[in-house]
Amino acid sequence: MLGHTDIAIDLGTSTVLAYIKGRGIVLREPAMAAVDTNTRNIIAVGDEARRMQGRTPLNIKVVRPLRDGSVMDFDVIERMLRYFIHKIVGRRALSRPYAVVCVPSGVTDMEKRSIIEATLDAGARRAQLMDSAVAGALGAGLEVDQAYGSLLVDIGGGVTDISVVAMERAVVRTVAHAAGDTFDDTIMRFLRKKHNLMVGERTAEEVKTTIGSAVRRTEQLFMDVTGRNMVTGLPRTVRVNSDEITEALEEPVQALVEQIQSVLERTPPELAADVFDHGLTLLGGGAQLFALDRALSRQLKLNCRVAEDPQACVCMGAGRTMEEGGGYERAMFDLKLPGRKRK
């Protein structure tokens, strides 16, 4: 029987979201931690760590423990999960929750076991992993328990999970590295090459969300961007327009199109017919790039829709399994941990 503190966690490469049964999403923070490299102590987590990005002394490093769809630092993940779980349910011993954790599809079996261990060590009484593709489809309002194919493109920070889901499983899937971080890196390279301006990840992301677009806007936008002049080493501000950023983003958008095409080429004919009838659904924070749905529709000749609150879909889908009292067993990974007593 699930308790009132049972939680679903979307452990993404750029954002962590948490859902409490009966209350909905209660946490949405960056998957970041500020670490003292001398002592390995965690200085800050989540929003506070993000505010420190690019502004710390040399011995303090702001890290993302999941990068490119893989676990980079298990110790930081465990301490980050502990912080978030305590923030959600408090530190009372009776509040140990049952947790469903959704992870990027590129995570290996060994990493899955380590994430379950980290979730238990962080205070959960029991933990299961759920396929993020199935959870995302549920959160987007799609019925995944039917013999019907749905194409989902989940654009996270480090990777894009492209999958055709049917019967509670990802029948065909691939992991593409054209994702949110790639968009940011492309903007950083463009500013260095064209304007001799060096900016950090936060500034590049701000440019992307403010004036970035996958197709040319009908009305051009402008933004003043401040960084370091690569010639003089001094601070400098440059005015950038949206057409420049659209041109810079053409390459990663095209790479994304090609990866989607490769999944469609490997999809069984009957499921491919379903996809062409009803199109694809965009999920993840990267789906919010302006007009990305139009760019994909134009090149793939498919209807394309952005899910409502695309960043929250995976977490909402995992939460839906709790609200419905379980089910979706084929989407769960209940890995056994030898020698570990479960409470």
Side-chain angles (χ1 to χ4, degrees):
M1 192 77 177
L2 300 180
H4 70 283
T5 57
D6 297 336
I7 60 176
I9 299 172
D10 175 17
L11 188 61
T13 52
S14 63
T15 307
V16 174
L17 293 94
Y19 180 110
I20 290 184
K21 184 184 178 185
R23 290 175 53 191
I25 289 180
V26 296
L27 180 138
R28 187 188 310 229
E29 294 196 26
M32 292 180 173
V35 182
D36 186 327
T37 56
N38 294 334
T39 64
R40 291 290 295 168
N41 289 334
I42 301 289
I43 307 299
V45 172
D47 287 328
E48 188 179 350
R50 179 175 171 78
R51 285 192 290 271
M52 297 171 68
Q53 192 176 24
R55 297 184 172 93
T56 60
L58 292 177
N59 65 305
I60 307 274
K61 189 175 181 182
V62 177
V63 299
R64 290 201 336 218
L66 281 101
R67 196 91 186 178
D68 296 330
S70 298
V71 177
M72 306 301 290
D73 194 319
F74 293 108
D75 185 44
V76 173
I77 280 184
E78 187 272 324
R79 287 186 280 177
M80 189 172 72
L81 282 170
R82 182 184 297 275
Y83 170 84
F84 287 135
I85 289 174
H86 286 170
K87 186 172 183 177
I88 296 164
V89 302
R91 298 174 181 272
R92 301 185 307 277
L94 294 177
S95 296
R96 290 170 66 86
Y98 161 73
V100 172
V101 183
C102 300
V103 293
S105 62
V107 172
T108 65
D109 282 348
M110 184 183 73
E111 290 171 335
K112 288 174 184 174
R113 288 186 175 87
S114 296
I115 289 172
I116 289 179
E117 283 278 13
T119 307
L120 294 170
D121 290 340
R125 71 175 185 274
R126 181 175 170 233
Q128 280 185 296
L129 300 186
M130 184 173 185
D131 188 321
S132 60
V134 178
L138 284 168
L142 304 175
E143 296 303 323
V144 301
D145 57 349
Q146 306 297 317
Y148 183 88
S150 300
L151 174 60
L152 292 104
V153 180
D154 185 353
I155 308 174
V159 294
T160 294
D161 188 353
I162 306 167
S163 51
V164 176
V165 174
M167 299 296 292
E168 299 179 20
R169 291 175 185 258
V171 179
V172 185
R173 87 187 315 161
T174 194
V175 177
H177 290 282
D181 291 346
T182 311
F183 297 155
D184 297 342
D185 291 343
T186 299
I187 292 170
M188 291 167 67
R189 288 198 307 271
F190 164 77
L191 292 172
R192 284 199 302 268
K193 183 177 179 180
K194 182 161 185 181
H195 297 289
N196 282 326
L197 190 72
M198 182 170 287
V199 300
E201 293 177 8
R202 286 193 63 180
T203 300
E205 184 179 6
E206 187 179 353
V207 171
K208 177 183 68 179
T209 56
T210 305
I211 65 172
S213 176
V215 300
R216 286 184 180 271
R217 296 175 183 261
T218 52
E219 182 179 346
Q220 191 169 206
L221 301 181
F222 296 86
M223 179 178 175
D224 291 332
V225 181
T226 301
R228 189 173 77 239
N229 188 316
M230 294 180 62
V231 178
T232 67
L234 299 175
R236 179 189 174 204
T237 299
V238 171
R239 173 154 282 206
V240 179
N241 65 64
S242 55
D243 284 353
E244 290 179 299
I245 303 304
T246 299
E247 184 179 346
L249 291 173
E250 282 181 2
E251 184 179 341
V253 170
Q254 183 58 39
L256 184 58
V257 168
E258 291 170 3
Q259 290 293 329
I260 297 171
Q261 287 173 330
S262 75
V263 168
L264 291 172
E265 289 167 1
R266 293 186 285 116
T267 301
E270 290 78 9
L271 293 179
D274 296 337
V275 170
F276 279 97
D277 282 343
H278 293 278
L280 68 87
T281 302
L282 283 174
L283 315 176
Q288 297 171 97
L289 176 66
F290 184 80
L292 180 59
D293 54 339
R294 277 190 276 154
L296 295 180
S297 292
R298 184 183 302 168
Q299 297 198 53
L300 294 167
K301 311 301 182 192
L302 278 175
N303 290 326
C304 178
R305 75 176 183 102
V306 180
E308 184 179 351
D309 196 356
Q311 190 179 57
C313 280
V314 171
C315 193
M316 289 292 293
R320 178 177 162 183
T321 67
M322 292 181 169
E323 301 293 355
E324 295 181 3
Y328 307 103
E329 286 83 2
R330 281 178 288 186
M332 297 289 184
F333 307 105
D334 196 6
L335 304 177
K336 304 302 180 185
L337 299 176
R340 173 122 194 179
K341 287 188 178 180
R342 297 282 186 87
K343 294 188 178 181

